[in-house]
Amino acid sequence: MNILETERLLLRHFVREDLPELYALYSDPVVRRFFPEGTLSLDETGEELEWFLGGHPRHPELGLWATIYKPTAQFIGRCGLLPWTIDGVFEVEIAYMLAQAWWGQGLATEAALGIREYAYETLNLSRLICLIDAGNQASIRVATKIGMQFEKTGFDDKGPYVLYSVQRPTVK
Ligand SMILES: CC(C)(COP(=O)(O)OP(=O)(O)OC[C@H]1O[C@@H](n2cnc3c(N)ncnc32)[C@H](O)[C@@H]1OP(=O)(O)O)[C@@H](O)C(=O)NCCC(=O)NCCS
């Protein structure tokens, strides 16, 4: 199922045929540098793919989605919306991860902007966050480019993070 489109990108639910490309992404130590669990094995990647096939099992409107470069129909990464409970509060995070070959072309920013609009307009969410390793400058830059601001630092089972957030503007 297709979720959303931007000028260059299509975001859709995973299909089982995405496994080789998703594994190539998740087994790259540079891509996974800021993820405490590190690279994933083929089995672990397969488990995650299955988990997200129809959207997040507990929140099917959210999830990680295959990110396709429309001009060539290539799988270039996975982006999406993830549910968390932080300090007892339900939060929705914009997530983005692209294969290295596609970095530096504004594609993560384009995906994140598309996801932000989808979250506001289709899902009617008014607040979005990003949980980022403090050293992940590229991710912080993407977050700020889509209007997020630093809110607080925190600590979870994966270690310390910085939390960026953005609020949907109120229509007057
Ligand atoms: C984070 C990530 C998605 C960015 O993808 P991208 O497509 O290269 O991002 P964009 O091209 O949209 O660039 C966004 C901005 O970040 C900047 N940027 C990119 N890499 C950077 C780096 N290493 N250090 C500082 N800024 C950087 C870009 O210059 C750009 O800013 P600008 O427009 O002012 O020049 C990509 O690096 C990635 O997949 N990383 C691994 C997964 C990850 O860490 N995800 C985030 C988890 S919170």
Side-chain angles (χ1 to χ4, degrees), residues 31 96-98 103-106 108-109 131 136 138-139 141 145:
V31 169
Y96 33 80
M97 180 185 285
L98 300 182
W103 291 2
Q105 302 175 49
T109 303
L131 301 168
N136 193 346
S139 182
R141 187 78 190 115
K145 287 190 75 167

Side-chain angles (χ1 to χ4, degrees), residues 30-131:
V30 177
V31 169
R32 300 288 298 185
R33 176 171 166 213
F34 293 106
F35 289 72
E37 58 273 51
T39 55
L40 297 194
S41 68
L42 184 60
D43 282 354
E44 289 166 333
T45 305
E47 278 171 29
E48 185 173 308
L49 186 149
E50 291 288 326
W51 173 260
F52 283 112
L53 271 180
H56 189 285
R58 285 194 293 276
H59 300 275
E61 75 282 15
L62 310 177
L64 291 177
W65 305 312
T67 301
I68 309 298
Y69 184 67
K70 289 197 292 188
T72 55
Q74 281 168 283
F75 178 108
I76 66 164
R78 71 25 164 199
C79 301
L81 290 166
L82 292 173
W84 300 108
T85 301
I86 299 172
D87 300 332
V89 177
F90 180 76
E91 301 271 23
V92 176
E93 178 188 27
I94 298 188
Y96 33 80
M97 180 185 285
L98 300 182
Q100 279 191 70
W102 299 90
W103 291 2
Q105 302 175 49
L107 288 165
T109 303
E110 184 173 321
L113 276 175
I115 294 168
R116 188 194 68 180
E117 288 320 294
Y118 178 78
Y120 287 164
E121 302 302 331
T122 304
L123 303 182
N124 211 22
L125 297 170
S126 56
R127 173 181 154 87
L128 298 163
I129 65 163
C130 263
L131 301 168

